[in-house]
């Protein structure tokens, strides 16, 4: 996948960090635009075409969580990578719930940022590489997913998924009724297997359960397989 024409928006109120990111990301061949606060970032995201957004959390005028939430409410499926000093599990959960696809805690290694950018762009470029998932049959048992809208229907319940939740569910549907290891999910969804990201995966799975399960505390479709990973059953159990 070529990154020459990929457009990235960097939203951060810290001049030093924003300028560092702008330099390194542009040096990697991407077109870079920037915003100095959350409101400016949201306005640019809604009125321009970007392939990915690097988004700080703690910013004036509008924080990154609200920016991400507004982007998703506008039905934009732009990959969002949050870069923030707020690194607790609760912060990450809030970020993912607002629609973030990935999350890195400051201080970060710029090479790690560039890796995450490449992975997110590769995932979002599936329609260019495979002529769109919409041509596939994405209906297993009680569960049906719609790639173009990132919607999921379980029995008669329709819900909107984040891009990452969609990727996880799609991966599990390809292996339905069989346990899928954590390493396999990380590789299929993020493009790499890192034990450091298992917690991130678990947070996303929790968010997915909240959307597809009648009772997320008593899963009937998305089951944990102890010491292995997860399994999706096409029909409700329990």
């Amino acid at each position: 996948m070529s990154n020459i024409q990929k457009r990235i928006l960097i939203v951060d109120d810290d001049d030093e960090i924003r300028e560092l990111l702008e330099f390194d990301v542009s040096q990697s061949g991407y077109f870079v635009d920037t915003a100095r606060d959350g409101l400016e970032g949201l306005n640019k995201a809604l009125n321009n075409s970007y392939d990915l957004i690097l988004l700080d959390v703690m910013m004036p005028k509008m924080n990154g969580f609200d920016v991400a939430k507004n982007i998703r409410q506008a039905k934009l499926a732009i990959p969002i990578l949050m870069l923030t000093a707020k690194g607790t599990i609760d912060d990450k959960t809030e970020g993912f719930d607002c629609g973030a696809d990935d999350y890195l805690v400051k201080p970060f290694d710029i090479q790690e940022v560039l890796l995450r950018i490449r992975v997110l762009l590769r995932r979002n470029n599936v329609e260019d590489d495979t002529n769109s998932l919409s041509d596939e049959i994405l209906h297993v048992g009680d569960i049906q997913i719609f790639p173009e809208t990132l919607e999921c229907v379980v029995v008669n319940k329709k819900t909107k998924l984040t891009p990452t939740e969609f990727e996880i569910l799609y991966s599990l549907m390809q292996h339905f009724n069989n346990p899928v290891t954590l390493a396999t999910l990380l590789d299929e969804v993020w493009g790499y297997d890192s034990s450091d990201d298992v917690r991130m995966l678990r947070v996303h799975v929790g968010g997915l359960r909240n959307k597809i399960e009648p009772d997320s505390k008593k899963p009937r479709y998305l089951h944990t397989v102890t010491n292995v990973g997860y399994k999706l059953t096409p029909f409700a159990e329990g």
Side-chain angles (χ1 to χ4, degrees), residues 17-162:
I17 292 177
R18 188 182 62 254
E19 291 170 5
L20 172 67
L21 285 169
E22 181 179 9
F23 176 80
D24 286 318
V25 173
S26 62
Q27 286 293 303
S28 295
Y30 302 100
F31 172 86
V32 177
D33 195 5
T34 63
R36 292 176 172 81
D37 60 65
L39 187 58
E40 182 186 8
L42 177 61
N43 287 334
K44 286 195 170 187
L46 296 181
N47 292 290
N48 297 278
S49 177
Y50 300 104
D51 297 288
L52 183 140
I53 298 175
L54 294 180
L55 183 62
D56 187 27
V57 171
M58 301 302 293
M59 294 183 292
K61 299 185 180 180
M62 181 179 288
N63 67 51
F65 294 142
D66 288 337
V67 173
K69 190 180 302 182
N70 276 274
I71 288 172
R72 296 303 180 224
Q73 288 174 348
K75 308 299 184 183
L76 297 178
I78 308 167
I80 297 174
L81 171 56
M82 282 190 162
L83 303 173
T84 176
K86 295 171 66 66
T88 69
I89 191 64
D90 288 339
D91 293 325
K92 292 182 179 181
T93 301
E94 183 174 0
F96 292 138
D97 286 345
C98 291
D101 296 283
D102 207 347
Y103 202 113
L104 279 178
V105 178
K106 299 176 180 177
F108 48 77
D109 185 309
I110 189 61
Q111 294 304 318
E112 178 75 0
V113 174
L114 294 173
L115 170 63
R116 301 294 179 103
I117 287 174
R118 288 195 298 272
V119 169
L120 288 172
L121 288 175
R122 179 187 60 78
R123 285 170 46 199
N124 204 52
N125 202 52
V126 167
E127 65 273 15
D128 295 334
D129 295 335
T130 65
N131 201 25
S132 178
L133 287 174
S134 60
D135 295 334
E136 298 185 23
I137 298 174
L138 300 172
H139 190 181
V140 178
D142 294 343
I143 303 171
Q144 189 169 10
I145 56 177
F146 302 87
E148 291 185 350
T149 60
L150 297 182
E151 289 179 324
C152 170
V153 175
V154 181
V155 189
N156 294 315
K157 180 186 176 184
K158 179 184 287 188
T159 186
K160 183 81 171 181
L161 304 178
T162 69

